[in-house]
């Protein structure tokens, strides 16, 4: 159990095998990631492949979810822009950000999208807790947020908040893909080319911005520990993706 944090679980049925866990080296082109995910999700739905959690980093780019508004793309020529079938609006991916692609069969757990998103938030919150950082969910804002009492208060007088992790998922035959991104040490100025997730009243932060100079590999360990508490056991997957779906 993770230290000092009571987790909500979203466990698979007892006869389910462990979820495969893979960390991709280097910067992965976004279109290559989407192509692989789509094929893997189809294989999982057919029962031909194991569930998979895939940790990657991308080159700098923007993605547009199914609810993206054209006016929220402030700098369309700054980085490549990819339209994607995940939920949500515009978001940024780039070096220093851990992107976690979650390919799980919800029929093995619970066919409840809201509960699934809450479970992903729980993984992030639990991992942050291990770094003595309080991540919080908001009913009207998907993702994980941190309070910033060091910043000026909002116009309404509330304590400022920054987003540290974004979530955007898609389901096909009750198998999930896409997932969440956690800002470890990305260039936060790159978020200025969009209105992140369509939210204008709050900022974006990272672990390093909050004074936590952690390594990506250390964050990966904490994410895996939190995932196993919330979703169940994992097993390290082969490194190669060649001839695999």
């Amino acid at each position: 159990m993770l230290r000092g944090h009571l987790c909500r679980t979203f466990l698979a049925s007892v006869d389910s095998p462990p979820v495969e866990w893979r960390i991709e080296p280097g910067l992965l082109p976004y279109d290559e990631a989407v192509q692989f995910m789509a094929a893997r999700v189809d294989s999982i739905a057919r029962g031909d492949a194991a569930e998979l959690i895939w940790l990657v980093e991308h080159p700098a780019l923007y993605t547009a979810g199914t609810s993206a508004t054209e006016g929220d793309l402030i700098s369309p020529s700054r980085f490549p822009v990819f339209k994607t079938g995940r939920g949500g609006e515009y978001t940024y991916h780039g070096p220093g950000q851990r992107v976690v692609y979650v390919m799980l069969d919800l029929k093995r757990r619970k066919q409840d999208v809201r509960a699934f998103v809450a479970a992903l938030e729980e993984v992030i919150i639990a991992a942050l807790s291990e770094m003595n950082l309080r991540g919080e969910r908001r009913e009207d804002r998907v993702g994980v947020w941190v309070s910033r009492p060091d910043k000026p208060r909002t116009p309404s007088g509330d304590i400022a908040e920054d987003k540290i992790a974004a979530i955007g998922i898609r389901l096909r035959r009750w198998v999930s893909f896409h997932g969440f991104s956690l800002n470890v040490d990305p260039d936060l100025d790159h978020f200025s080319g969009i209105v992140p997730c369509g939210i204008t009243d709050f900022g974006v932060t990272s672990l390093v911005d909050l004074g936590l100079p952690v390594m990506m590999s250390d964050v990966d360990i904490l994410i895996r520990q939190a995932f196993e508490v919330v979703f169940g056991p994992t097993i390290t997957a082969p490194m190669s993706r060649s001839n695999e779906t």
Side-chain angles (χ1 to χ4, degrees):
M1 176 63 70
L2 295 174
R3 169 174 50 86
H5 188 83
L6 179 62
C7 289
R8 307 175 186 180
T9 60
F10 202 82
L11 301 172
S13 54
V14 294
D15 58 342
S16 295
V19 176
E20 290 190 354
W21 192 274
R22 174 178 291 139
I23 300 175
E24 188 75 19
L27 297 179
L28 181 70
Y30 186 76
D31 51 356
E32 184 177 334
V34 172
Q35 182 178 5
F36 175 81
M37 276 194 292
R40 182 64 177 242
V41 163
D42 287 342
S43 293
I44 294 170
R46 293 194 305 266
D48 296 335
E51 297 174 297
L52 176 67
I53 304 299
W54 191 23
L55 282 67
V56 311
E57 281 183 89
H58 289 303
L61 58 94
Y62 297 131
T63 67
T66 54
S67 301
T69 302
E70 184 176 347
D72 286 346
L73 181 58
I74 299 170
S75 302
S77 61
R78 187 173 187 181
F79 299 122
V81 180
F82 295 88
K83 292 185 178 180
T84 180
R86 62 157 176 81
E89 303 185 46
Y90 281 105
T91 192
Y92 166 78
H93 294 318
Q97 182 190 69
R98 176 52 85 205
V99 178
V100 181
Y101 289 130
V102 181
M103 288 159 268
L104 297 179
D105 187 351
L106 269 61
K107 296 189 299 295
R108 304 183 190 183
R109 292 172 173 78
K110 186 188 304 181
Q111 292 171 254
D112 185 330
V113 178
R114 184 181 294 272
F116 176 55
V117 171
L120 294 178
E121 291 173 339
E122 191 70 22
V123 169
I124 301 164
I125 290 169
L128 294 177
S129 178
E130 290 298 293
M131 293 178 274
N132 296 314
L133 185 63
R134 182 181 176 86
E136 299 178 302
R137 53 171 57 87
R138 293 290 179 261
E139 291 299 324
D140 58 339
R141 291 180 259 133
V142 175
V144 175
W145 301 80
V146 293
S147 295
R148 299 299 306 267
D150 55 311
K151 288 188 170 184
R153 287 180 174 259
T154 67
S156 61
D158 296 326
I159 294 175
E161 294 181 345
D162 284 344
K163 193 171 194 176
I164 195 166
I167 297 176
I169 63 166
R170 183 179 179 183
L171 295 179
R172 181 182 295 170
R173 296 165 62 186
W174 285 105
V175 179
S176 68
F177 55 126
H178 299 282
F180 67 85
S181 58
L182 175 63
N183 296 331
V184 178
D185 188 20
D187 185 336
L188 295 179
D189 179 65
H190 290 176
F191 286 89
S192 66
I194 56 172
V195 178
C197 302
I199 298 172
T200 58
D201 296 335
F202 301 93
V204 178
T205 190
S206 68
L207 295 175
V208 170
D209 182 51
L210 293 169
L212 296 171
V214 294
M215 300 291 292
M216 186 73 75
S217 56
D218 296 328
V219 174
D220 291 345
I221 291 170
L222 296 179
I223 292 174
R224 187 170 187 174
Q225 290 175 349
F227 178 89
E228 290 186 332
V229 172
V230 176
F231 286 95
T234 65
I235 185 171
T236 301
M239 287 296 296
S240 175
R241 291 182 286 113
S242 60
N243 301 318
E244 180 190 348
T245 55

